[in-house]
């Protein structure tokens, strides 16, 4: 147990100030990775980390670390944090809650004059969302060795901007190597982004693992032609095939596995004109399940559907899997630490797995990991109306504080 507690006023003021950056009229935020708004958010975070007396380190991927030494400088560090890049017109809570909770925890230890045995490191990972630069979890992916640095630097957004150049432009292409420290464990607080905790009327989720998922880019190439005089049997319409594949996603999720989800999220059509038969369509596929074999089966089937749709319509097609992360359970001891922390904080909690991807997916490959969820009102996320009751945000930080304290005392 610890007598350190979260300073709710300071936490709330910081959360509100932070979310003024890139605020949208509809109450969300627009701070996509490496944008000017993302830079302003990073700058504010670095200022707060420094004000909290942390030793700030920015690595080659722009991951921002703040270190607080413990009694034993040789001891492996307890790492905790999340991300501050957002969706285009996303929510105020996704990622931010985890980073500001982490900052609050180290400040609470300071306020209580507590020196932990182990060093503490808090982190804001780069490019977790993967909407501007695919794939997602790029910063934690390089840190954990899933991607190499050059691959990450060469990732381009839809306007052809390179990740490495944009990172340099905003001044966050750090000198520090993007590789793991000696870590004892990793924790992440995040909003659930689904309906489960609210439906169960519980304030804390003890996360036992994260769905595995695959992201794919698909393109159909047909023939543009005049929408009027071109007979239907002479058409090679790239959008018709896209519609067939989209329908197939629903058929596959209905038959391959109970927890399987599939999404066609981004679609670009050329020439995108009302009276021209679509020549080319580029679209994305996102399949997820807690069972890796189910994701494999979905991938098999959707590739057949793509091939059949192209044949029917007389199209060329391209298919590239750009990211695959396997589901694997988090560390038992970290899970029990979080459960005990929730009990010590007097919370009603349940255990669950995450349908959303998190940096914790990758940290789990190199160090014992678990997560803490706070409920999402109406299960909404990746939308400006994303909302979590403030008392639940504070509870998540209180649970994090107890879990970190437990693991930071050797
Ligand atoms: O896709 C995800 O689940 C995460 O928000 N990047
Ligand atoms: Mn997130
Ligand atoms: Mn997200
Ligand atoms: Mn995430």
């Amino acid at each position: 147990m610890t007598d350190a507690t979260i300073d709710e006023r300071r936490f709330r003021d910081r959360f509100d100030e932070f979310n003024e950056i890139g605020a949208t009229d509809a109450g969300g935020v627009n701070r996509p990775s490496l944008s000017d708004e993302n830079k302003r958010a990073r700058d504010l975070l670095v200022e707060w980390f420094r004000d909290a007396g942390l030793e700030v380190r920015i690595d080659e991927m722009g991951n921002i670390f703040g270190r607080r030494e413990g009694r034993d400088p040789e001891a492996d560090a307890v790492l905790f944090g999340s991300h501050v890049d957002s969706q285009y017109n996303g929510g105020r809570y996704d990622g931010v809650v985890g980073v500001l909770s982490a900052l609050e925890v180290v400040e609470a230890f300071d306020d209580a004059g507590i020196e932990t045995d182990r060093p503490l490191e808090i982190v804001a990972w780069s490019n977790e969302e993967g909407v501007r630069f695919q794939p997602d979890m790029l910063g934690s992916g390089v840190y954990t060795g899933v991607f190499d640095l050059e691959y990450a630097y060469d990732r381009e957004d839809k306007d052809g901007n390179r990740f490495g150049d944009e990172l340099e432009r905003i001044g966050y292409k750090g000198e520090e190597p993007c590789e793991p420290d000696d870590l004892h464990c990793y924790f992440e607080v995040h909003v659930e982004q689904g309906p489960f905790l609210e439906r169960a009327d519980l304030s804390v989720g003890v996360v036992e693992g994260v769905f595995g998922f695959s992201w794919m880019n698909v393109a159909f190439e047909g023939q543009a032609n005049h929408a009027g005089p071109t007979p239907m049997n002479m058409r090679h319409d790239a959008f018709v095939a896209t519609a067939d594949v989209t329908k197939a996603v629903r058929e596959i999720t209905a038959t391959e596995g109970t927890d399987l989800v599939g999404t066609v999220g981004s679609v670009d059509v050329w020439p995108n004109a009302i009276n021209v038969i679509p020549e080319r369509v580029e679209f994305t596929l996102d399949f997820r399940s807690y069972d890796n074999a189910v994701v494999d089966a979905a991938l098999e089937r959707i590739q057949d559907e793509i091939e059949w749709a192209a044949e029917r319509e007389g199209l060329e097609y391209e298919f590239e899997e750009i990211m695959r992360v396997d589901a694997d359970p988090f560390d038992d001891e970290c899970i029990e630490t979080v459960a005990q922390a929730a009990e010590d904080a007097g919370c009603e909690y349940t255990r669950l797995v995450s349908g959303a991807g998190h940096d914790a997916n990758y940290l789990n490959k190199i160090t014992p990991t678990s997560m803490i969820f706070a409920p999402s009102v109406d299960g909404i996320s990746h939308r400006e109306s994303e909302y979590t009751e403030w008392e639940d945000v504070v509870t998540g930080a209180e649970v994090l504080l107890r879990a970190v304290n437990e693991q930071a005392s050797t």
Side-chain angles (χ1 to χ4, degrees), residues 63 65 79 82-83 85 123-127 139-140 143 186 359 363:
N63 297 315
F65 296 88
L79 178 67
S82 190
H83 65 93
D85 61 308
V123 61
W125 299 108
S126 289
N127 206 76
S140 56
Y143 179 86
Y186 175 74
D359 297 301
L363 272 293

Side-chain angles (χ1 to χ4, degrees), residues 83 87 94 128-129 190 193 382:
H83 65 93
Q87 289 286 332
D94 181 354
E128 191 280 343
E129 289 297 357
H190 205 287
Q193 302 179 294
H382 284 189

Side-chain angles (χ1 to χ4, degrees), residues 237-372:
D237 183 333
F239 198 82
V240 168
T242 306
D244 287 351
V245 171
T246 305
K247 215 164 147 355
V249 168
R250 284 300 174 96
E251 286 147 19
I252 291 167
T253 53
T255 53
E256 275 304 329
T258 49
D259 71 349
L260 178 67
V261 290
T263 312
V264 174
S266 165
V267 182
D268 290 299
V269 185
W270 286 270
N272 207 28
I274 186 166
N275 52 2
V276 180
I277 298 164
E279 174 173 23
R280 180 174 177 84
V281 176
E282 293 177 0
F283 63 99
T284 59
L285 288 167
D286 172 327
F287 278 113
R288 308 189 188 205
S289 167
Y290 199 50
D291 180 340
N292 296 315
V294 168
V295 176
D296 290 338
L299 278 181
E300 284 287 309
R301 283 184 60 183
I302 202 67
Q303 289 185 64
D304 290 342
E305 295 290 347
I306 290 166
E307 204 179 315
W308 297 335
E311 261 165 42
R312 279 193 299 272
E313 200 57 32
L315 309 174
E316 297 300 318
Y317 72 91
E318 299 144 41
F319 172 97
E320 182 201 4
E321 184 177 39
I322 55 158
M323 191 272 282
R324 177 66 192 272
V325 58
D326 280 344
D328 52 23
F330 286 150
D331 170 75
D332 286 340
E333 185 187 331
C334 279
I335 292 168
E336 294 317 314
T337 298
V338 170
Q340 186 58 54
E343 263 164 50
D344 294 349
C347 305
E348 295 278 296
Y349 69 91
T350 185
R351 298 160 187 262
L352 76 171
V353 293
S354 171
H358 297 286
D359 297 301
N361 281 74
Y362 289 146
L363 272 293
N364 191 37
K365 295 178 180 306
I366 65 164
T367 190
T369 292
S370 183
M371 291 183 73
I372 300 151

Side-chain angles (χ1 to χ4, degrees), residues 33-147:
S33 182
L34 309 190
S35 61
D36 292 342
E37 293 76 13
N38 181 239
K39 170 180 170 47
R40 285 173 41 216
R42 286 165 170 268
D43 292 347
L44 184 55
L45 216 47
V46 167
E47 184 192 318
W48 283 344
F49 279 23
R50 290 211 165 102
D51 291 349
L54 299 173
E55 182 204 327
V56 173
R57 186 173 93 251
I58 294 159
D59 73 14
E60 297 158 306
M61 275 298 290
N63 297 315
I64 301 170
F65 296 88
R67 184 180 175 92
R68 181 182 193 261
E69 289 304 338
R71 259 186 290 276
D72 176 0
E74 301 308 311
D76 294 347
V78 175
L79 178 67
F80 46 112
S82 190
H83 65 93
V84 294
D85 61 308
S86 81
Q87 289 286 332
Y88 292 110
N89 302 324
R92 292 153 45 94
Y93 298 80
D94 181 354
V96 173
V97 159
V99 175
L100 296 189
S101 295
L103 179 57
E104 267 307 314
V105 164
V106 292
E107 298 250 51
F109 284 137
D110 280 352
D111 297 346
I114 290 173
E115 189 184 20
T116 53
D117 294 323
R118 295 181 180 284
L120 306 181
E121 291 222 348
I122 65 177
V123 61
W125 299 108
S126 289
N127 206 76
E128 191 280 343
E129 289 297 357
V131 280
R132 181 184 175 194
F133 295 99
Q134 293 174 350
D136 60 352
M137 292 108 75
L138 202 55
S140 56
V142 173
Y143 179 86
T144 56
V146 173
F147 306 114

